[in-house]
Amino acid sequence: MQNFLSILDLDPDRLGKVLELAAKLKRERVKGMKAPTWNALNGKNVGLLFEKPSLRTRVTMTIGVRELGGDIVEIPADVMRADREPIQDVTRNLERWVDAVVIRTFAQERLSQIAEITPKLHVINALSNEEHPCQALADVQTLSEKWRSFEGRRIAFVGDGNNVCTSLVHVAMMLGIAVHVATPKGFELPDEVVDQAAAVSQKGAGLTEFTDPKAAVRDVDAVYTDVWTSMGQEVEYADRKKLFQRYQVNEALMALAKPDALFMHCLPAHRGEEVTDEVIESPISMVFDQAENRLHSQKALLLQMLT
Ligand code: CP
Ligand code: NVA
């Protein structure tokens, strides 16, 4: 696979292979230098190009490449200032030196343009305004550890129809998991994503949209939320905080889901806004498993792309 800009760059078969490999890498991590993949990326260089802040993606990509025997080059954000040179020129330089570049940026379109003008460079989306596919891989790895099978499972995403929601819908459809998405009016998933969901859906899994969060979570197996204001939307913070109030995931909302329903969040979380302390700190909360699995699933992705 040349690029990973979207979950849609995978098909169900390849997705299954990445998840299988991710589980194996997780089991074998304790072997350290004795793990069979310890040297798999020997001689490979991976650049990190982040135009927005990151803890989880940056750290797990860095450690992941190192654990596979490759090298990481952190490119400081100031070289990407538009008044210095276009990001497309930055990546055309990188193409001459590194094997892959992991990019966190604004418009998804920018990633497609970069992939097009740097055909030798493997491009990995580390989050754009529209999609967060690396997160979605870790999310389904986490679910597969908790659920024996995805058959008949349903997830509710409550909040903003944003990048994390889009990639979750893509991956869930491909695995045959039904998704309910509850958003305020005006914050729904883009129509394009609704069409993509229908196109990639397996085993009759469907996407259903709601405005009422209570209706969306009724009898689901997991409830997922994310911040109401994503990076780059900070000026809208006060308005969004008011508009999204009834979409908070709290104990009363969780009580409407199945009794053993899981809580999920990509992090960073704003406690007291999209989720209460009680829910995120409760035993049903998967948030740190999701964060841990960023490492294993991205290592699997890197192996699929670079070896
Ligand atoms: N979930 C996630 O992508 O976290 P970071 O923004 O810290 O990388
Ligand atoms: N929707 C959030 C996800 C952060 C990992 C954002 O884009 O800021």
Side-chain angles (χ1 to χ4, degrees):
M1 181 169 44
Q2 181 61 29
N3 301 307
F4 183 61
L5 308 189
S6 171
I7 287 290
L8 302 177
D9 290 330
L10 298 168
D11 55 36
D13 185 49
R14 211 182 277 251
L15 172 60
K17 287 197 176 115
V18 170
L19 292 178
E20 223 171 274
L21 185 54
K24 181 173 176 284
L25 290 163
K26 186 169 183 172
R27 285 194 303 273
E28 288 176 352
R29 189 170 185 232
V30 290
K31 295 186 180 166
M33 288 176 74
K34 294 202 174 97
T37 49
W38 180 253
N39 234 1
L41 296 188
N42 188 19
K44 305 267 188 205
N45 290 296
V46 177
L48 290 189
L49 202 52
F50 280 47
E51 294 190 281
K52 293 173 178 171
S54 168
L55 168 67
R56 282 148 288 269
T57 312
R58 186 187 288 280
V59 173
T60 53
M61 278 292 181
T62 304
I63 295 176
V65 171
R66 280 196 201 133
E67 287 187 359
L68 296 170
D71 231 320
I72 274 279
V73 187
E74 284 241 22
I75 297 119
D78 59 2
V79 303
M80 285 172 286
R81 280 205 335 255
D83 59 353
R84 190 166 194 277
E85 63 185 319
I87 189 171
Q88 285 86 345
D89 280 3
V90 175
T91 53
R92 281 195 287 180
N93 281 268
L94 289 172
E95 190 184 26
R96 304 296 176 108
W97 310 315
V98 304
D99 299 283
V101 65
V102 179
I103 306 181
R104 172 165 287 197
T105 190
F106 294 88
Q108 176 85 6
E109 178 63 23
R110 234 164 140 162
L111 293 171
S112 319
Q113 286 167 358
I114 290 165
E116 206 176 304
I117 59 171
T118 59
K120 287 202 210 115
L121 190 63
H122 292 279
V123 182
I124 298 176
N125 180 359
L127 178 145
S128 68
N129 290 348
E130 289 86 359
E131 300 190 37
H132 196 3
C134 289
Q135 179 67 49
L137 291 181
D139 296 340
V140 289
Q141 181 178 0
T142 308
L143 290 175
S144 76
E145 291 166 354
K146 291 281 151 195
W147 298 341
R148 258 182 316 168
S149 136
F150 293 130
E151 185 124 23
R153 297 291 188 175
R154 266 179 302 170
I155 307 175
F157 184 98
V158 177
D160 187 15
N162 64 13
N163 45 9
V164 169
C165 182
T166 291
S167 294
L168 181 73
V169 166
H170 287 159
V171 85
M173 291 297 115
M174 239 182 237
L175 292 169
I177 304 169
V179 184
H180 294 178
V181 174
T183 65
K185 281 212 183 330
F187 298 88
E188 297 93 347
L189 283 167
D191 292 342
E192 191 193 10
V193 177
V194 177
D195 294 343
Q196 290 162 345
V200 300
S201 154
Q202 296 286 314
K203 299 176 188 157
L207 164 66
T208 316
E209 295 186 278
F210 296 80
T211 45
D212 178 6
K214 292 186 183 141
V217 303
R218 200 152 283 136
D219 292 329
V220 297
D221 301 281
V223 178
Y224 201 125
T225 191
D226 182 16
V227 290
W228 294 332
T229 303
S230 285
M231 292 179 274
Q233 299 171 332
E234 288 77 7
V235 293
E236 299 171 29
Y237 176 75
D239 289 344
R240 282 172 172 263
K241 200 173 164 190
K242 270 187 239 147
L243 267 163
F244 279 83
Q245 215 57 59
R246 80 179 176 112
Y247 293 83
Q248 182 186 69
V249 179
N250 49 36
E251 284 175 324
L253 193 70
M254 284 305 302
L256 301 173
K258 284 205 180 138
D260 57 351
L262 304 171
F263 170 73
M264 303 181 78
H265 193 307
C266 56
L267 303 180
H270 293 163
R271 288 167 168 79
E273 294 184 20
E274 76 274 6
V275 60
T276 57
D277 235 339
E278 293 73 41
V279 169
I280 199 167
E281 297 298 342
S282 69
I284 57 151
S285 173
M286 294 294 106
V287 299
F288 297 109
D289 292 312
Q290 291 172 257
E292 180 190 339
N293 286 335
R294 295 295 305 275
L295 174 65
H296 312 299
S297 53
Q298 285 162 190
K299 280 170 76 176
L301 180 76
L302 288 163
L303 285 177
Q304 285 274 327
M305 294 179 75
L306 300 181
T307 61

